[in-house]
Structures are given as C-alpha cells and as structure tokens.
Amino acid sequence: MSQSAVETDASHLSAVSSASTKPTGYQRGSKRSWIAVAGGLIGTFMAILDIQITNASMKEIQGSLGATLEESSWIATAYLVAEMIAIPLSGWLSTGLSTRRYLLWTTAAFIVASILCSMSWNLESMIAFRALQGFFGGALIPLAFRLILEFLPDNKRAMGMALFGVTATFAPSIGPTLGGWLTEQFSWHYLFYINVPPGIVVMMMLAYGLERKPIIWDKLKNADYSGIVTMALGMGCLEVVLEEGNRKDWFGSDLIRNLAIIAVINIGLFIWIQLRKSHPLVNIRLLGQRDFALSTVAYFLLGMALFGAIYLIPLYLSQIHDYTPLEIGEVIMWMGFPQLLVLPLVPKLMQRFDPRYLAGIGFALFSISYYMNSHMTADYAGTQMIASQVVRALGQPFILVPIGILATMHLQAHENPSASTVLNVMRNLGGAFGIALVATLSDNLARVHLAHIKETLPAVSAQAYQHINDTSLLLQSAGSDAVSAGNQAYALLAKSMTQQAYIQAYNDVFFIMSCLLFIAVIAVLLIRKPAEKSGSDQPNEMH
C-alpha cells in the first residue's frame, strides 16, 4: 500500500474514532455543531442568492458599464461557470486545508470579490470579479450539505435538510425581488454590498463552531491534477454552452461548437481518470449505487424544474405583459414564501411516512404547477400565476428534505464529500440544462406557431381584413392620416400574431416540463425503502 493510501486510511480512522477523543463541545449535535451548520447554511443562501440577484437589474448594470445586452449575459455566465468548477474541488481542498480553514478563507474571499464587483469600472472587470465571486461562493454550497451530514445526529438530519432546502429553493425565488428592490431604492452596487454584513457573521459562526485542525500537506501535494484540469475544462465549457448556446444559435456558432467538443472530450477523460484512481478527486463510483444514482436523477430534474420556472416566468411576464423587474419579483416571491410554512412539518412527516412517497408527492405538485401554466391566454398575467406559484412552493419542501436523506442513507462517512459534490453539481447542471431547454423550446415553438398562424390567415381573411379596417379607423379618429393608420394597423396585427405565437409556445413548454417531472416521480419511487435503523446500524454516524 502506498504512503498516501496509508495516510488517507489513517485520517479516515481518525475521523470515525470515538467522539470522546474530540475536544469538548465539538461532538455531533452540540451547540457548536449547530452554529457551524447555521453559518454554512447562511453562506450557501448568499451564494445561491447571488446567482439570480443581478438578473432584475441587468439593464442598469449594462448601462453603467457601457455594455450591450448580449455582452452583459456574461456577467451571470461567469459566476455560474466558476461556481461549477469550484464545487468538485471543495471535497479535496476542505480535506487538505481542514473544513474550518477552507470555509473561512473562501467566505472572506467571497466578501472581497463582492466588494470588487461593486467597484467594477467596465464589463471586463465585472466579468472577472463575478467569476471570482462565483468560485469562492461555489465552495460554500456543497460544504453546507456536508456539514449537515457530519455535524448533526441522524435524528436531526431531516431538520438540517429542511433548512438546506430553504437555501436551495428560497434564495433563487426571492433573488429577482430583492435585486429589483435594492436597485430601485439605492443602486445596483448594493446588490454586492449586501453580502458584506452576513458574510462577516458567517465567518464568526464558522470560526466558533468548527474545530481547528492542521493542514494535511500530503493531501494537497498528492492531488489529482489530471482530474482537476479535465474537470475544470469539461464543466466550465459545458456551462458556457448551456448558458450561451441559445443566444448564439447553438452549433451554428463556432464558439459553441468548439466549446461543446472540448466539454465532451474532457468530461469523458475526467470520468475515465476518476474510475482508474484509488483516491479520485470525486468518487463517481457512488453512481453505481442504485439509490444514490436515482437520487441524482431526481436532483437533476429538480434543478431543471426550479431554475426553468425562475427563467420562464419572468420572460413571459416581461415579453407578454411588459412587467417591470420589481413587478416580476412580486410574482416570483410566491414561489418562496409559502414553503416556509411547510418546511417545519416535513421532518415530522418523515417520521410517520415513507420519504419516497413524500418526495413523489413533492415532484407531483411541481408537475401540477407547471401544468396549471399550460393553458394561458393574453389575459393571463401575474395575478393569475400566483396559484401555480403557491402549488410549486408547497411541493419543494417535500422534495429536498426526503431526497437528501434517501441519497445518503447507505453511504459511509468518508463518502460524504463526494456525495455532496455530485448531488450539488447535478442540481446546478439540471438548472443550466433547464434554462437552456426552455429558452430554446420557447423560441423554436414560437416560430412554429407563428408560421401556422400565418398559414391559417387566408382562411379567415375576411375577419382579418375587418379587424385591420376597424383598427385603421380607430387610429384615424385619434389623429393619424389614412396611410399611416393603415400601416400601424398592419403592424399591430403582426404584433398580436407574434404575441399569440409566443403564448402558445410558453403553454407548450410548461406542458413539456410538467411531463418531464413525472420522470422524477418514477425515479424516487424506485429507490429502495429505507431500513429501520437500530442503535448499531448507522453507517453515516461518526462514532
């Protein structure tokens, strides 16, 4: 056995040794442990919030930086790409540096990067600082999940997962609202200033709650560098392809085509390297376990549904009804607040009911909420969307809490870092894939419906002619001359046709997403029923 393997085994044995060897106050479920978990969750909330918080204020940011709308899309893409690269690195770096040191360093760097974003003087500086912010923020997300697994006792893990559910679903749903309000009341710079006070609080909580441990230099030196390089290239390029593909006509763009090739090659190499190494960067062999693999499918579909809705609904409201960012935020927030009423009940329900059925109910409610939006008309606006938003919000807690438990119920303690990495990467990939899917489908289907409307126009030409004539007369009565009124009438008819085409396209996309979510229902029901745990049968317990 190699020296590194011996050291890894020794560190694992040390981690699972008797809790009595730990300094007083650091045992699982202690006050320090809960404070550490709370600090990690607040940090995760900040990191996820920052994905969406700039979206509602993009016009103000691009105007201040002198960028076009297409160029400013890289402000969000840079954050997501860097975050996607950081998540798989978190397990290795937190083990080598120690969880306490790694989280304190990354939180401090996240605060500094946020301040730098507010000081950006042009688009290039903003993209660079947003990438730094995403990289350091991305480290906070999987480690909060890991802290729940390692620092809370099994009988409190469901409560921890419920709190994690708030960060993963509530943060993106209030991001546009908070961002729009801050920009309207102050300026877009406060989208980044807002990270400073909670960031300092998070550092204080983590410093108190986490145990000081020495750096494991051999772990850092003997890194899987080939895995790091192929992962960074593969995941980074894939994220850019998904985020920018629709805007750049997918494979009609040389950039997207070349990045897709790089992504496929490097992700393939990464998987091959990880399967061959005895101590990989990420233990993807976990996907060979049926329950974990099915849970990752559910996580992927959850990310796709959650971020798909957060993208699609604002797009519909702004394009069809000319809603302002703040008005859109007032609609989107209904996806967040109602779940706060349900989340405290889920851990108690899990004690009485099979968590697979609870997760199935959650995905079914999510599917129903999409179906409720698949019959929209031109009169269907924000007020009519509230009911579907509430149904969506009620379904989310029933998904995240049980899935987190089901995914990790048969894992050993040393597998937690890789499990957290894989699950969070899959949720983020699902979100990127969901946004790319709904953006592409809505544009393509709108063109199909518009072509169909134009084809059927001759069949109703008498009604169309009458409509144009009535509109022209109305415009003339308002002061336009006959020629201008006729041209305006034709333009209004074309606009109305385009609007109807997009409404039908949005209906189709909502229906397609509703159907896809039933795959998640099937996936969670195929997970094995959790076994009743005895006092000695707790594979994830750190004795």
Side-chain angles (χ1 to χ4, degrees):
M1 183 178 291
S2 67
Q3 182 182 355
S4 61
V6 171
E7 289 170 347
T8 303
D9 291 340
S11 63
H12 168 55
L13 289 172
S14 175
V16 297
S17 61
S18 172
S20 62
T21 63
K22 284 189 173 186
T24 303
Y26 289 106
Q27 292 85 357
R28 292 182 66 176
S30 65
K31 182 180 77 171
R32 284 180 181 267
S33 295
W34 276 104
I35 290 174
V37 170
L41 289 170
I42 296 171
T44 301
F45 187 88
M46 292 162 53
I48 297 178
L49 182 72
D50 271 55
I51 298 173
Q52 300 289 335
I53 199 169
T54 60
N55 290 0
S57 309
M58 200 57 74
K59 288 183 179 179
E60 289 79 3
I61 295 174
Q62 74 183 55
S64 176
L65 300 178
T68 65
L69 181 61
E70 183 175 353
E71 290 172 340
S72 63
S73 68
W74 286 97
I75 295 173
T77 300
Y79 186 98
L80 290 167
V81 169
E83 181 187 68
M84 187 64 77
I85 294 172
I87 290 175
L89 296 176
S90 61
W92 163 59
L93 288 172
S94 61
T95 303
L97 293 171
S98 84
T99 304
R100 182 181 188 273
R101 186 177 288 105
Y102 183 56
L103 277 173
L104 287 176
W105 287 3
T106 53
T107 305
F110 179 79
I111 294 171
V112 172
S114 297
I115 295 172
L116 290 174
C117 286
S118 69
M119 298 167 60
S120 298
W121 55 90
N122 57 25
L123 178 66
E124 290 75 16
S125 62
M126 172 63 84
I127 291 173
F129 296 146
R130 277 287 280 176
L132 286 175
Q133 191 189 32
F135 184 82
F136 295 118
L140 301 171
I141 300 171
L143 285 175
F145 189 94
R146 178 178 164 188
L147 290 177
I148 292 169
L149 297 179
E150 296 183 355
F151 285 79
L152 299 185
D154 285 355
N155 63 346
K156 298 296 183 182
R157 193 169 293 164
M159 183 184 299
M161 290 296 176
L163 294 172
F164 185 80
V166 173
T167 66
T169 59
F170 187 60
S173 64
I174 69 164
T177 311
L178 180 60
W181 182 82
L182 286 171
T183 302
E184 190 171 290
Q185 296 298 319
F186 305 102
S187 74
W188 64 264
H189 302 83
Y190 283 82
L191 303 178
F192 305 106
Y193 292 150
I194 196 175
N195 290 324
V196 177
I200 295 172
V201 172
V202 166
M203 292 185 67
M204 295 170 62
M205 296 173 76
L206 293 173
Y208 175 77
L210 295 175
E211 181 184 357
R212 293 178 183 269
K213 291 183 179 180
I215 296 175
I216 306 175
W217 291 107
D218 287 333
K219 180 70 176 177
L220 297 176
K221 292 176 183 177
N222 299 324
D224 178 12
Y225 291 110
S226 58
I228 292 172
V229 172
T230 53
M231 177 279 299
L233 285 172
M235 300 301 291
C237 290
L238 177 60
E239 186 73 29
V240 174
V241 168
L242 292 173
E243 287 292 321
E244 298 292 327
N246 187 58
R247 281 188 284 266
K248 298 185 180 299
D249 193 30
W250 291 105
F251 298 114
S253 163
D254 290 339
L255 173 66
I256 297 301
R257 185 168 57 252
N258 293 335
L259 289 177
I261 293 171
I262 295 172
V264 170
I265 292 173
N266 280 277
I267 290 174
L269 285 172
F270 174 72
I271 294 171
W272 181 72
I273 291 168
Q274 299 308 292
L275 291 175
R276 286 174 57 87
K277 285 187 174 288
S278 56
H279 300 289
L281 180 68
V282 179
N283 183 15
I284 59 176
R285 294 185 185 92
L286 294 176
L287 293 171
Q289 300 183 26
R290 169 183 166 183
D291 300 323
F292 187 79
L294 290 169
S295 298
T296 59
V297 172
Y299 255 76
F300 181 87
L301 291 169
L302 171 64
M304 186 179 73
L306 177 62
F307 286 95
I310 290 172
Y311 175 86
L312 198 59
I313 293 171
L315 190 65
Y316 169 81
L317 291 174
S318 62
Q319 185 176 17
I320 305 300
H321 297 288
D322 296 321
Y323 270 41
T324 66
L326 195 56
E327 289 172 332
I328 292 171
E330 291 171 355
V331 178
I332 290 289
M333 71 180 184
W334 285 97
M335 195 192 302
F337 285 107
Q339 67 177 295
L340 299 180
L341 303 175
V342 180
L343 272 169
L345 304 176
V346 177
K348 296 180 180 179
L349 290 173
M350 287 184 62
Q351 297 174 4
R352 299 188 58 183
F353 301 102
D354 190 327
R356 299 175 303 165
Y357 298 148
L358 294 178
I361 290 171
F363 275 115
L365 287 172
F366 223 133
S367 176
I368 290 169
S369 72
Y370 267 100
Y371 182 77
M372 290 170 68
N373 293 138
S374 65
H375 300 85
M376 298 185 296
T377 65
D379 297 325
Y380 198 98
T383 305
Q384 289 73 30
M385 277 191 162
I386 291 176
S388 63
Q389 297 287 82
V390 171
V391 172
R392 195 170 291 129
L394 295 178
Q396 288 169 179
F398 288 99
I399 299 172
L400 267 171
V401 183
I403 286 296
I405 299 296
L406 291 168
T408 58
M409 63 184 174
H410 296 305
L411 301 184
Q412 300 299 319
H414 68 278
E415 295 173 322
N416 288 337
S418 288
S420 175
T421 294
V422 172
L423 290 173
N424 282 284
V425 164
M426 291 303 290
R427 190 186 71 247
N428 279 22
L429 270 182
F433 181 81
I435 292 173
L437 178 66
V438 299
T440 304
L441 283 176
S442 57
D443 285 345
N444 291 343
L445 290 172
R447 284 193 287 268
V448 171
H449 284 298
L450 183 59
H452 178 70
I453 292 172
K454 289 179 177 178
E455 287 175 1
T456 58
L457 194 60
V460 291
S461 56
Q463 294 92 320
Y465 178 79
Q466 186 62 43
H467 174 77
I468 292 172
N469 188 52
D470 292 343
T471 305
S472 178
L473 291 174
L474 185 63
L475 290 169
Q476 289 181 55
S477 66
S480 295
D481 60 80
V483 175
S484 297
N487 292 334
Q488 291 172 355
Y490 276 106
L492 288 172
L493 177 61
K495 181 180 178 181
S496 177
M497 291 165 59
T498 302
Q499 183 189 63
Q500 289 299 321
Y502 267 100
I503 291 172
Q504 292 179 46
Y506 287 129
N507 287 338
D508 291 343
V509 174
F510 276 115
F511 181 76
I512 291 169
M513 293 293 287
S514 176
C515 295
L516 287 174
L517 279 168
F518 268 99
I519 298 175
V521 176
I522 297 170
V524 296
L525 293 180
L526 289 175
I527 296 174
R528 289 176 295 173
K529 182 178 180 180
E532 294 292 333
K533 288 186 178 181
S534 62
S536 60
D537 180 25
Q538 295 188 9
N540 235 328
E541 185 73 58
M542 293 176 66
H543 295 292

